[in-house]
């Protein structure tokens, strides 16, 4: 039996407050309602100061000082393989055992990262230093609202302020430790989750966004909106990935365009916007099978053309982050 989640577990390790019952900072009951008892922000809301700059922005900035690189994975279109790429980017970066990698899933209503990372059914634990993420390996941590649900089939029915509060908790109260890379998988679109993550991380120096698309115009149309969103909020774009870029038959080796690039695909779009095309990943049925099993496609099918494409793209993202860190050092 499934159920809808209007409120859930404690949003802070030390508080009995239920996030889903928050009356909102603009309500006349803010900080005064019996539902606010135990909330760490109760006095702030009651004073009326909650409508001003969110103090969590500075708290997140302080927390993120221990994270070298912050990468957002975006797409204006759903179903283009954004979470699939996020999971494989995390796996690929974590293959270097000297690097500490974390994957944060802020797709509040459709969290698929626990399944893809083989962590379905795992629970988040609390300690004196905050929420502990769930670990795939010693150097690969994951956090998702999926770990807070009683069932993967539970529906999360939240308005914007509740999503915003959850993202704040993930960034501020998770014990991430020292990280080389924090990859943030987002839902499709340009809405609450995207505004929240950019707001909270802007002061913490985001390296940039990786934008995922597929070749057909119906996808590119939405992705152009995502690119314009990045420009408007001054979010650097690391580059674009064209996913599901053709299918090569494993027997005859002929290539078929399952999603024909009728308007030139991602390559033409990148030329129009003067942004980098990081690479093209062909369709491979094994990718979906690996994700369903919670395994890394990169290690399960190392000789695939898709694996080769993934590795080249991951290397380009690595190089971009190194260059960004070097530039930050010069600017400082």
């Amino acid at each position: 039996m499934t159920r809808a989640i209007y409120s859930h577990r404690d949003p802070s390790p030390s508080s009995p407050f239920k996030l889903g019952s928050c009356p909102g900072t603009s309500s006349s009951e803010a900080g005064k309602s019996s539902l606010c008892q135990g909330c760490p922000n109760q006095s702030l809301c009651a004073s009326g100061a909650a409508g001003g700059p969110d103090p969590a922005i500075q708290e997140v900035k302080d927390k993120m000082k221990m994270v070298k690189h912050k990468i957002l994975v975006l797409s204006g279109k759903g179903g283009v393989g954004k979470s699939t790429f996020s999971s494989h980017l995390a796996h690929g970066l974590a293959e270097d055992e000297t690097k500490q990698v974390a994957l944060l899933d802020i797709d509040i209503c459709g969290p698929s990262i626990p399944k893809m990372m083989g962590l379905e059914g795992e629970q988040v634990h609390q300690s004196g230093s905050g929420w502990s993420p769930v670990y795939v390996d010693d150097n690969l941590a994951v956090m998702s609202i999926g770990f807070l649900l009683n069932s993967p089939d539970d529906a999360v029915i939240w308005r914007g302020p509740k999503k915003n509060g959850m993202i704040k908790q993930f960034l501020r109260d998770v014990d991430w430790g020292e990280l080389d890379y924090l990859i943030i998988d987002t839902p499709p679109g340009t809405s609450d989750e995207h505004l929240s993550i950019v707001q909270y991380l802007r002061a913490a120096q985001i390296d940039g966004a990786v934008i995922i698309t597929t070749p057909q115009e119906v996808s590119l149309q939405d992705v152009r909106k995502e690119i314009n969103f990045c420009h408007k909020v001054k979010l650097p774009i690391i580059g674009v990935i064209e996913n599901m870029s053709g299918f090569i038959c494993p027997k005859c080796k002929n290539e078929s365009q399952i999603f024909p690039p009728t308007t030139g695909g991602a390559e033409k779009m990148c030329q129009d916007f003067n942004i980098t095309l990081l690479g093209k990943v062909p369709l491979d049925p094994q990718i979906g099978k690996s994700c369903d099993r919670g395994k890394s496609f990169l290690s399960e099918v190392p000789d695939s053309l898709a694996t080769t494409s993934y590795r080249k793209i991951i290397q380009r993202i690595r190089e971009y982050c190194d260059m960004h860190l070097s530039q930050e050092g010069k600017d400082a």
Side-chain angles (χ1 to χ4, degrees), residues 15 18 45 58 153 173 175 188 234 271 285 304 315 326-327:
S15 169
K18 302 296 183 184
C45 290
Q58 182 61 44
D153 297 329
D173 293 338
D175 183 18
K234 296 181 172 55
Q271 291 171 359
S304 167
Q315 180 57 31
S326 174
Q327 186 60 47

Side-chain angles (χ1 to χ4, degrees), residues 89-99 101 137 139-140 318:
L89 176 58
H91 279 300
L93 293 172
E95 285 179 348
D96 182 349
E97 296 180 358
T98 67
K99 303 298 183 184
V101 181
D137 292 306
N139 68 328
L140 178 53
R318 247 192 230 109

Side-chain angles (χ1 to χ4, degrees), residues 155-267:
V156 181
I157 306 174
W158 285 359
R159 294 187 186 274
K162 297 183 179 69
K163 294 179 181 180
N164 178 65
M166 189 80 261
I167 291 169
K168 183 194 305 184
Q169 294 291 334
F170 281 152
L171 294 172
R172 183 186 62 186
D173 293 338
V174 172
D175 183 18
W176 294 111
E178 292 190 18
L179 292 175
D180 293 285
Y181 298 95
L182 175 62
I183 301 154
I184 302 165
D185 182 41
T186 65
T190 55
S191 192
D192 297 301
E193 294 91 334
H194 310 81
L195 291 170
S196 293
I197 198 71
V198 171
Q199 175 192 8
Y200 287 126
L201 285 182
R202 180 180 284 116
Q205 299 296 318
I206 309 174
D207 287 74
V210 174
I211 299 176
I212 313 295
T213 187
T214 46
Q216 76 275 33
E217 177 59 23
V218 73
S219 175
L220 295 170
Q221 194 172 52
D222 288 340
V223 170
R224 291 187 192 100
K225 296 180 179 71
E226 198 77 41
I227 292 170
N228 284 322
F229 166 82
C230 291
H231 290 161
K232 286 181 179 179
V233 300
K234 296 181 172 55
L235 174 62
I237 298 174
I238 298 174
V240 173
I241 296 165
E242 185 176 271
N243 213 3
M244 309 181 198
S245 183
F247 170 73
I248 299 174
C249 176
K251 293 185 178 180
C252 69
K253 305 302 179 184
N254 286 332
E255 183 175 1
S256 301
Q257 294 297 331
I258 308 298
F259 302 105
T262 54
T263 57
E267 189 168 1

Side-chain angles (χ1 to χ4, degrees), residues 12-312:
S12 110
S14 59
S15 169
F17 171 70
K18 302 296 183 184
L19 180 64
S21 58
C22 175
T25 57
S26 60
S27 168
S28 61
E29 291 296 304
K32 303 170 186 175
S33 168
S34 60
L35 298 173
C36 299
Q37 295 299 317
C39 174
N41 295 322
Q42 183 179 10
S43 59
L44 180 69
C45 290
S47 70
D54 192 337
I57 293 175
Q58 182 61 44
E59 295 168 356
V60 170
K61 180 182 177 181
D62 294 340
K63 172 78 81 170
M64 290 294 118
K65 285 179 180 177
M66 301 176 70
V67 181
K68 286 183 183 177
H69 301 293
K70 282 79 69 177
I71 302 169
L72 298 187
V73 181
L74 306 174
S75 180
K77 191 73 175 173
V80 297
K82 176 176 45 52
S83 295
T84 299
F85 178 76
S86 296
S87 63
H88 285 96
L89 176 58
H91 279 300
L93 293 172
E95 285 179 348
D96 182 349
E97 296 180 358
T98 67
K99 303 298 183 184
Q100 292 294 323
V101 181
L103 175 57
L104 171 59
D105 179 8
I106 64 165
D107 191 342
I108 304 299
C109 296
S112 53
I113 289 298
K115 177 74 171 178
M116 291 183 174
M117 300 301 285
L119 300 173
E120 210 168 28
E122 294 289 340
Q123 298 290 314
V124 172
H125 300 286
Q126 297 180 359
S127 67
S129 52
W131 284 349
S132 297
V134 179
Y135 283 84
V136 179
D137 292 306
D138 289 343
N139 68 328
L140 178 53
V142 179
M143 178 57 75
S144 169
I145 195 173
F147 299 139
L148 305 178
L149 304 178
N150 290 334
S151 163
D153 297 329
D154 286 347
V156 181
I157 306 174
W158 285 359
R159 294 187 186 274
K162 297 183 179 69
K163 294 179 181 180
N164 178 65
M166 189 80 261
I167 291 169
K168 183 194 305 184
Q169 294 291 334
F170 281 152
L171 294 172
R172 183 186 62 186
D173 293 338
V174 172
D175 183 18
W176 294 111
E178 292 190 18
L179 292 175
D180 293 285
Y181 298 95
L182 175 62
I183 301 154
I184 302 165
D185 182 41
T186 65
T190 55
S191 192
D192 297 301
E193 294 91 334
H194 310 81
L195 291 170
S196 293
I197 198 71
V198 171
Q199 175 192 8
Y200 287 126
L201 285 182
R202 180 180 284 116
Q205 299 296 318
I206 309 174
D207 287 74
V210 174
I211 299 176
I212 313 295
T213 187
T214 46
Q216 76 275 33
E217 177 59 23
V218 73
S219 175
L220 295 170
Q221 194 172 52
D222 288 340
V223 170
R224 291 187 192 100
K225 296 180 179 71
E226 198 77 41
I227 292 170
N228 284 322
F229 166 82
C230 291
H231 290 161
K232 286 181 179 179
V233 300
K234 296 181 172 55
L235 174 62
I237 298 174
I238 298 174
V240 173
I241 296 165
E242 185 176 271
N243 213 3
M244 309 181 198
S245 183
F247 170 73
I248 299 174
C249 176
K251 293 185 178 180
C252 69
K253 305 302 179 184
N254 286 332
E255 183 175 1
S256 301
Q257 294 297 331
I258 308 298
F259 302 105
T262 54
T263 57
E267 189 168 1
K268 175 67 165 57
M269 183 186 68
C270 288
Q271 291 171 359
D272 292 343
F273 281 90
N274 193 29
I275 55 180
T276 301
L277 177 64
L278 292 171
K280 300 180 180 182
V281 180
L283 276 166
D284 189 322
Q286 293 295 325
I287 296 176
K289 291 180 181 179
S290 295
C291 288
D292 281 350
R293 292 196 298 264
K295 303 292 184 181
S296 169
F297 171 76
L298 304 181
S299 57
E300 286 217 316
V301 196
D303 298 327
S304 167
L305 290 174
T307 297
T308 301
S309 297
Y310 271 135
R311 292 199 181 281
K312 288 180 180 177

